[in-house]
Amino acid sequence: MSALFSPRWNFLSRLSLVVVAAGAVGTLVALWGYWRTPYGERLQEEVVQPVMFDHRHHVVDDLVDCRYCHFNVERGASAGIPSTEMCLNCHSQIWNKSPKLEKVRESYFIGTPIEWVRVHQVPAFAYFNHSIHVAKGIGCVTCHGRVDKMPAVTKVASLTMSWCLECHRNPAPNLRPADQITSMAWEPPSDPAARAALAAELMKKNDVQSRVSCTTCHR
Amino acid sequence: MSAGRTLLGKYPDVDSLFGAARKLRGDGAGRLNFYSPFPLEGAEEVLGLRKSPIPFIAGAAGFTGVVSAVLMQWWMNDVAYPINVGNRMAVPTPTWVPIMFELGVLLAGVSIFMGLMALFRFPQPYSPLSEVEAFRSATVDALWLSVNVPAADVERTSDELRRLGAVDVQLVPEVA
Amino acid sequence: MPSMKTLPILQDHGQPQRLSGKPGQRSLWQSIQELEGRSSGRAGEFAAGAAEVPPELSRRSFLQILGASAALAGLGACQPPREKIVPYVKDPKEDRPGKRFHYATALALDGYATGLVLAASDGRPVKVEGNPLHPTNQGASSAWDQAALLDLYDPQRAKGIWRRGQPLSWRGFLAEVQKLARAHDADGGAKLAFLVAPDASPLLAELRRRLSTRFPRARFLAWAPATADHAAEGARIAFGRPVDMHLRLDPARVLLSLDADFLAGHGESLRLTREFARHREPGAEMNRLYVAEAAMTVTGAAADHRLRMRPSEVAGFARAVAAHLGALPGAEALEDPARDRAARVVAADLARNRGRSVVTAGERQPAAVHALAHAMNAALGNVGTTVVYTKPVLGDATPTAAALAELAKAIQAGQVDTLVVTAWNPVYAAPAGLDLGALLAKVPNAIYHSLRDDETSRRCSWRVAASHPFESWGDARARDGSVSLVQPVIAPLYESVNAADLFAAFLEQGDKGAFQHLRDYWQARSGLQGQAFQARWEGWLTRGLVPGTAEPADGPALNAAAVAAAARSPAPKGEGLELALAPSYGVFDGRFATNAWLQELPDPITKVTWDNPAYLSEATARRLGLADGQVATLTLQGRSVQAPVAVMPGHADDCVTLALGYGRSDGSATSKGVGVDAYELRTAPDAWFAVGLGVAPGKGKHKFAVTQGHLSMEGRPLALDFDAQEWAHGHGGHELEAQRGPVPSAQPPVDYSKEDYKWGMSVDLSRCTGCNACVVACQEENNIPVVGAEQVAKGRNMAWLRIDRYFAGPAADPQTVGQPVMCQHCETAPCEYVCPVNATVHSPEGLNEMVYNRCVGTRYCSNNCPYKVRRFNFLDWRGEVPAVQTMLFNPDVTVRSRGVMEKCTYCVQRIERARIDARVAGKKIEFVQSACQQACPAEAIVFGNLNDKASKVARLQEDARRYDLLHDLGTRPRTTYLARIRNPNPDLA
Amino acid sequence: MTPPAASAVHRDPLAETPLILGHPSDLQVNDALLKPILDPNRGWKVLAGLAAAGTGLLVLGITVTLARGIGMWGNNQPVGWGYGIINFVWWIGIGHAGTLISAILLLFQQKWRTSINRFAEAMTIFAVMQAGLFPLIHTGRPWLAIYWLFPYPNTMGIWPNFKSPLIWDVFAVSTYFTISLLFWFIGLIPDLAALRDSATSRVQRMAYGVFALGWRGSARHWHHYKIAYLILAALSTPLVLSVHSIVSFDFAVSQLPGWHTTIFPPYFVAGAVLSGFAMVLTLMIPTRKAFRFENLVTERHLENMAKVMLVTSMIVSYGYLLENFMAWYGGSAYEAHLFFKTRLTGPYAPIYFMMIAFNVLVPQTFWWKRARTSLTWLFIASILVNVGMWAERFVIIVVSLHRDFLPSSWGMFFPTWVDWSIYIGTISFFSLLFLLFLRFVPSVAISEVKELNHEMRHGQAGTGGHA
């Protein structure tokens, strides 16, 4: 009578152990990685908007300042999304026949709001406030990226808590002069010494006191 | 044991088992081993086994555990995100001790198990020995002695084993 | 002080809006809400919800549970769906996302207005605050004012206009009313009657005047359940004509209250509380309060000497005091020697303080007692200093107890074809024995105008939903006569009508709109034109006050003989016990019974919620063989109700007190089956107390939902109080020393002196009257849920700020202290170090932060909190929330989900708002108030920056009366208390 | 095999009873111990059925809790912890005897452990499994607690608070479970091999063969095996002490009267051992009868356990005594009120006195040999002690919480049907696991018994070590 197990069993049993162990570890690592990939952070994700609004064109070609439409950015928590009325300030004059703007005119005359899809979304329990960031010298680009290069706006920063903390712990490198807040192209001086000097100066001038205590954002 | 074969001898009691083993070793026989349902007092000495590395493995792992516990708690609570919890003292704090101990024990224990598996080359459900039906008694109630011999010496050694008191001698078959 | 802008965005919608018909309107508040999104619409992880009773938790729906748990399994990595952003179609010019606007308005209760400031965010009012410029409340607000917001967003509100079950459009209604009116023109309105709520609104008065010119023979009757005309009658006796009596407590040093609960519920109680509290600090200026009453009231709890007696005995006591004061000829000795001595001592004390004393009689006392009070004040020379008389403010809408009887007679006689009822719920609150319901059914056109469908709407052929005051244009007068304009802060949420429009409809001017009526009236009255008026008008709206409208003082002559005559009227005699009725501190006369906040608001004295027990003294309970919570049958003049009894410390013997307003049958989920209906025992002649009550122990035990089960301090140094005398001699000082100062600790304390701000709070037990305004203000500001009676009884009440009530001394006649307790923000917080996930930690400014979204709900923090101020969401208290109620939420405060711990945060959202506004402007925080502090009429709660040595809170923490609660635990609380000082009369010790 | 009459055992009162009766051969031992597995008896199915049904209650309770929230339990303010944590501590405590018997007695060369250690270790593992449930399901949001309690690298940049005893618990309990499991499994390997080689059906042989991992009793393996087993024992011993000390920190580290007590760690450990041994007896007495292990698990084993219970009960009693002394001596009014008023006269006083009666008085009977050797009494007493230890946790947790510093926030705790079904559910689940263990795994350490048996036959171990 032959043995209980055939020699192959040794290999198989060891293999199966390895597979189980690797599987367990692999899953954890995969999960860990997922949230750090652009996919997990929903970066560069195509978002289809009801109206094909092109920031690129408005910012670069028409030189419209961010604050024209995002009127509240210096005064409140929300940057403000332009009303249909505001679109028509210009578009009652130009492109007022364009089929692309049909939805806008419809919204205006029927009185139904345009439902935009939110791209930059922080959780309900995180209270972000635009005005204070702008007032202390954080530019639009820092969080929203080169909107002037985006046909349709996509998310460029993870907006995770640790991402916020990173800057709140060392805001200096991200500061810019008040007149450059909405500038898309502005770059800090390339010379490290000058850059450091500017950062230090702005920290002082704007009296930046970035905080990391919980109630700064969670109330 | 490339060309060699393995012989198994079953012995009625420990004394005859050990006696046989001593004799064979004296004669410079091949690799010897015992198989018994329970650990045999003094087998190490008879077979001349080296000290086991297990204590060292456990110690090293345990130490790693303790150190990593300190580093983890210090870095997470006092470096990565220092927070004032109820004005309780910062580094170093006695509150680290429990986790230092637990992590030490955990790593030591796990590594002992891993160590055994490695030393035994486990899992190993199959062994040529299990081809020998009679050998099943090794884990139940019998004492077996195994010796590796060159193919040529099989006959001579099996007689030897019998002479040294084996009640049963088995030749482990060649594995196909 | 909050910035007050003029007209709200709704200015151009003076007349009631039927939202359904106006997309512009709808997109107004809805879209802003979604745009700014912080409203629960954006609750994300934290479920949306509003304050209403949670769904009853039964074991039945097990499948549901399985489903839910299956869903739970699905929790995890998958991405949330993307939100929508819904901007305006057309920008409202004044509004900006997330900005707080403050609108001055006013809210009247039984005709007397409180000046309010409504904080609106994204086009919806989210917080009620007192108007600091208003004379009667000076920035404070009452629990009822605060809770009005919940009524505004109540989905149970009446909607639309109905005639015999058929809906009517506004225009259709106007047409119908026009027909009616024209029909009544024939006989000058002989068969037309109006039963109106008491009000002092000049606009409504004007409309009524115009109505009576059109219908000279029409009946106008004013009525409200909780007001009897005793005071007016008393004035008529004393002065031959009705006058309003106003107290000025600032100069008063000795106060005698004859069953008058003037610190709560009274038209001027906010001002009186403030003036009273100002003089509760030890020193020469400290006042002394004597209160004669049966059941312990807020005023009685604040008294230095509480003389407990049955309501019917108060008259006798008043006579005795008056006699000793020489205000009444022929002193008679009271049979009870102790009380007789009290009367002498009180009289002597009053006499010692001529011109600086006050005698006031309670609404519930008969006219004679009021007359006596007038006489005594005259004798004490208080008139002009502590007592001021003015013409009655209510004018033609002064309620009379006789009103209903008269109406009933008219209906019986078939003299009423059309009846317009704007008074609150007469069918429910009518005196026992008067079946108004049956009568109303007889009236061909009974038009009932009400905020909610209730007992009365069921009996009326027409139902007209009333707009909430926060939705309507109008005006109102405070008790001192000052006029406030009432301006809407939101368009009507439901199709509803405002009282002015209703009256105007009978003048065939219904479509003109209340706004236009109001503006025209005031323009006419101001005699100004165009811009000049516009400027004046906006000034009034901005300040919420029309200057120079307060009633001037007038000096009526006292008719001592008449008073003496009236005083001789014998006290009511009768067998058995005495029944005393009282408005409830929560639901008032019943009109707030559908308001869950007020239902769950603990009684200031007994801490009972969701109930009106029959209160009696321990001795009486023992004599009747009644146990606490036992159901008893109360029988009075052949009518009886089943009510569970509760022993109230300090209640007068042989007397049972029952609160009005419960036992509703209006079909509201909130008020259903709560308490017993005391109106069934209430007769017109004995509106407030009656002798001859029979109490029969019944079967069954009732479990009251109390928020505080144990009323003794167990000899622990918790709510400390001292007598003024011993305090003056330095006693107590060293006793307090043991309760403050540093505690040795192995942990070196964190140094907060370098910070800009070091937040702290001080609570003055001497000032606090326990009126509960802070409790509701906190609930409103912080989105605190209501849990319902069952859960309160289980010990799961959610109030972040509670007022502990302790009794000391003999149970029959104890002393009592109230102590507001909220998170003490300990510097060495015991809750923090035990939290495994760092969900509650300390901020650099010393706040004990609670991070809801990090909390996993181990409840370890609550176990380790010696003050037990933490509150846990044991269940999903809110369930599915109607969209309209999501507008109630303060968008600055996270709506907590099930399984999360919460607690007082020192209104950190207010601090952060102030900080951001200040820092954007490059300044330091100049002004921030916690919600409780802002509401408190007694200025007992002071919050602020301890690092600013000039701040009030910093000074108070140095006060001699300062001490820390549970100081010896070494928690270093940031909230500190000021010991209560009593000012007893040594002669009465 | 036919054992000689037990009367033979007691002939000479001075001579100690041998640990194995009837001088069986290794083969006899082997067959006797494997019999329950190789041909089981019918009663097993019935019991297993009951236990499975009871486990349904556990599933129901947990589902309701997850779906509706902790509000379905009796917990409230001020009693934030109720049955959840009571059961947690109780089960952890029960687990302890297992490790103690197998580890400490091994270190002390107590031969008599061999017949019961496997049994006790299994009990430990199953008990810890029950205990492990509670810290998770008693949280308000378990779906977050399940990973936020561990220091995993997260995108929030925030970490657990290592100053919190609850985090220590997480580490202690998971370590304890892992180590107990390894200890148990390593001890099991030779027996699994024995099963592999004794079983007749091929399926059984393969099944056990897989788990035996290829053990053949090689001396070269025994060589490493012995030392490994010894070190694990050496690690487990302090581990046991640490685990219940840490559990006691949950209370001792707080500042609530009745919790803030320095005597807690030793007194919790002693209590744990007491309840643990009680549970071993509760389980062993019927099993021994059902499986006819009387010759291997002799009265002497039971008697020794009774002695251990007596000792630990004395330690626990000392703990009670000192608690009260400190409450008086420390002079804290709050603490005095709890110990001398709330506990003695409060609404939960009966539970307090039950605790005293069962944990202090009942074990005192073990001064008498008759009590120690009467199976019936041992069985009853062991159950009483288990109840008493549960009551102790109730007194510590609920009674301390329900009346703390501010009388205004005093309250009562009443368990709900969910509380009960979860508690009963864990007991059933525990029994189910245990029955499975008895059915499929050798419940006595065969190789060790053989070793002992061998030694005895060669007169080395004579009557074994002294208990």
Side-chain angles (χ1 to χ4, degrees), chain C residues 45 61-62 716 794-796 804 833-836 838 853 855-860 863-864 868 872 874 898, chain D residues 60 66-68 71 73 75-77 80-81 138 140-141 148 159 161 164 250 253-255 404-405 408 417:
Chain C
E45 169 184 4
S61 49
F62 182 54
R716 303 174 178 186
K794 281 194 174 127
R796 294 168 181 178
D804 292 347
Y833 68 91
V834 298
C835 174
N838 271 329
N853 43 301
C855 177
V856 298
T858 66
R859 304 183 297 289
Y860 199 172
N863 291 347
N864 208 27
K868 287 289 174 285
F872 186 66
F874 281 97
R898 183 246 287 181
Chain D
L60 170 66
L66 290 181
R68 288 291 179 79
W73 298 7
N75 304 37
N76 59 12
Q77 294 113 14
W81 286 351
H138 100 289
R141 302 198 293 172
W148 279 0
W159 302 96
N161 169 19
S164 166
D250 289 349
V253 165
S254 88
Q255 44 100 305
D404 67 341
F405 295 96
S408 61
W417 67 276

Side-chain angles (χ1 to χ4, degrees), chain D residues 138-168:
Chain D
H138 100 289
T139 61
R141 302 198 293 172
W143 49 92
L144 294 176
I146 198 167
Y147 61 104
W148 279 0
L149 286 172
F150 295 92
Y152 75 104
N154 58 69
T155 58
M156 298 175 286
I158 184 151
W159 302 96
N161 169 19
F162 290 108
K163 294 185 176 74
S164 166
L166 287 188
I167 287 292
W168 308 342

Side-chain angles (χ1 to χ4, degrees), chain B residues 83-89, chain C residues 747-748 750 832-833 838 841-842:
Chain B
I83 299 176
N84 168 5
V85 282
N87 200 116
R88 293 318 190 265
M89 73 171 77
Chain C
Q747 314 278 356
V750 172
E832 289 178 7
Y833 68 91
N838 271 329
V841 301
H842 236 65

Side-chain angles (χ1 to χ4, degrees), chain C residues 525-539:
Chain C
R525 190 162 152 173
S526 73
L528 291 171
Q529 294 309 321
Q531 270 314 312
F533 173 69
Q534 182 61 23
R536 173 89 48 101
W537 169 259
E538 295 198 353

Side-chain angles (χ1 to χ4, degrees), chain C residues 752-830:
Chain C
Y752 292 95
S753 58
K754 303 281 173 299
E755 295 290 331
D756 287 348
Y757 314 104
K758 175 183 174 184
W759 304 111
M761 186 179 275
S762 159
V763 182
D764 189 336
L765 301 184
S766 237
R767 287 169 165 266
C768 177
T769 63
C771 70
N772 273 338
C774 50
V775 177
V776 184
C778 177
Q779 181 159 33
E780 184 180 18
E781 169 74 19
N782 293 299
N783 301 336
I784 297 172
V786 167
V787 299
E790 187 192 338
Q791 296 294 325
V792 171
K794 281 194 174 127
R796 294 168 181 178
N797 157 35
M798 292 299 286
W800 287 4
L801 164 51
R802 63 172 198 261
I803 303 180
D804 292 347
R805 168 72 60 186
Y806 294 113
F807 292 90
D813 191 8
Q815 284 194 324
T816 176
V817 192
Q819 182 175 41
V821 180
M822 67 296 285
C823 176
Q824 307 281 303
H825 290 266
C826 316
E827 286 183 4
T828 62

